[in-house]
Amino acid sequence: MSAGDQKQEEHRHHHHSHSHHHRHSHAARVRRRNFLAASCAAVVLAAGVCAGIFYQAWEKHQSYQVTAENTYDASSSSYRKITWNGEEYTYNNLVTCILYAGVDSTGKMEASVQYGNKARADSIALVVLDKYNDRLSVLAINRDTMTQIRRYSMTGNDDGLYTSHIGYAYTWGEGGEVSCENLCEAVSLLLGGIPVLDYVVTNQDSMTYINNLVGGVTVTVPNSELAEEYPELYEGAQVQLDDTNIRAFLQYRDTSEDFSNEGRMERQQTYVTAYIETVRGMNTSQIEEAWDNLADMDDYMQTSITENKYLDLAELVQELEFTDDSYIQLEGEDEAGELHDEFYADEDALQELIIDLFYIRN
């Protein structure tokens, strides 16, 4: 995001303006091929395996406007006990969360002295490993989700929280650890304050590496959006994705169309499901080899995952139940904003989802 876009968006949200009658101009969609993801499966392999609840009620979008004096306390324990619809719930301490994000940059990923104007997180997913319920879930989060994110000045001063697209949480940092942790915080805030401590962030150049870590993935193509340019990628076709088509499958969309991210997310879901099943079929030596091969993509990945944690998580992924229903997308509505598409999560559905994923009824 350019500095001009940041200022325009900051001005609009700071004054609580949410007019959605303007369509995107063609100029705002110059690029046809924006990066969406190396997919959340990358978290499971490249990061974790390769690699309360809205406090009684979620306030309306305007209430997200807060100042630097009222910033988010990451050490807060208020998420541990919550009440919803008259029922009391306790946070499930046997849950491990790993955030994955794919950002729209190429080349070596490096922090810089200057904050802001960094890549945008185009793909965001939370891998939830739940030993209490013996299940693995992948929560896909639309990059256009409107929620609280922290902004920084160009010199790194904390300017507090404001409402914007969640994908810009990475943008406001320094392109390194601060950007990654800023995105973790934004996802945590969206999900009622639950801890999001581990992350994997990759960029556009990582996709072929991630796919090759498991020897390629075979998918059933869910739509025909790419068939004109890639004839083999028609709806219903079974295709093994490789270096020639993996970026097309995960990345491409028609930016001249409103909400074109939806079809791309559909392909992502197909890939993630197939990728995780591939990982679950790997033996110990293959898992260890995948970690060794991650060194090839060091320049294109940022992660908090250590080798020991990786091996533990890889084993856990193979033990937990994973089905087609384990891949979850937030319910809500798309709206055409002044600069970019905007997604608003359904508040009740989101609260119920948070309870299902992270809480145990007393």
Side-chain angles (χ1 to χ4, degrees), residues 190-211:
L190 175 68
L191 299 178
I194 62 100
V196 180
L197 304 177
D198 284 317
Y199 60 83
V200 171
V201 178
T202 63
N203 74 0
Q204 202 166 0
D205 289 334
S206 72
M207 283 185 282
T208 55
Y209 290 96
I210 291 172
N211 194 56

Side-chain angles (χ1 to χ4, degrees), residues 144-165:
D144 296 321
T145 301
M146 303 301 290
T147 188
Q148 297 176 101
I149 69 171
R150 186 172 303 282
R151 62 183 178 184
Y152 293 90
S153 70
M154 293 179 64
T155 56
N157 291 325
D158 183 351
D159 289 336
L161 301 173
Y162 80 118
T163 302
S164 185
H165 302 75

Side-chain angles (χ1 to χ4, degrees), residues 89-193:
Y89 298 87
T90 299
Y91 179 73
N92 179 4
N93 286 317
L94 295 180
V95 162
T96 299
C97 294
I98 306 168
L99 177 68
Y100 170 75
V103 301
D104 60 352
S105 69
T106 58
K108 188 173 183 178
M109 300 178 71
E110 293 181 295
S112 66
V113 175
Q114 181 174 306
Y115 281 54
N117 291 320
K118 299 302 184 290
R120 178 183 182 182
D122 269 354
S123 173
I124 305 169
L126 192 66
V127 177
V128 182
L129 305 169
D130 181 358
K131 290 193 286 187
Y132 182 86
N133 293 298
D134 292 322
R135 66 183 182 183
L136 185 160
S137 303
V138 177
L139 175 60
I141 301 172
N142 191 318
R143 67 174 189 170
D144 296 321
T145 301
M146 303 301 290
T147 188
Q148 297 176 101
I149 69 171
R150 186 172 303 282
R151 62 183 178 184
Y152 293 90
S153 70
M154 293 179 64
T155 56
N157 291 325
D158 183 351
D159 289 336
L161 301 173
Y162 80 118
T163 302
S164 185
H165 302 75
I166 196 168
Y168 288 144
Y170 187 91
T171 310
W172 281 103
E174 34 56 295
E177 185 176 359
V178 175
S179 285
C180 295
E181 292 182 351
N182 206 37
L183 185 58
C184 285
E185 179 190 42
V187 172
S188 174
L189 289 169
L190 175 68
L191 299 178

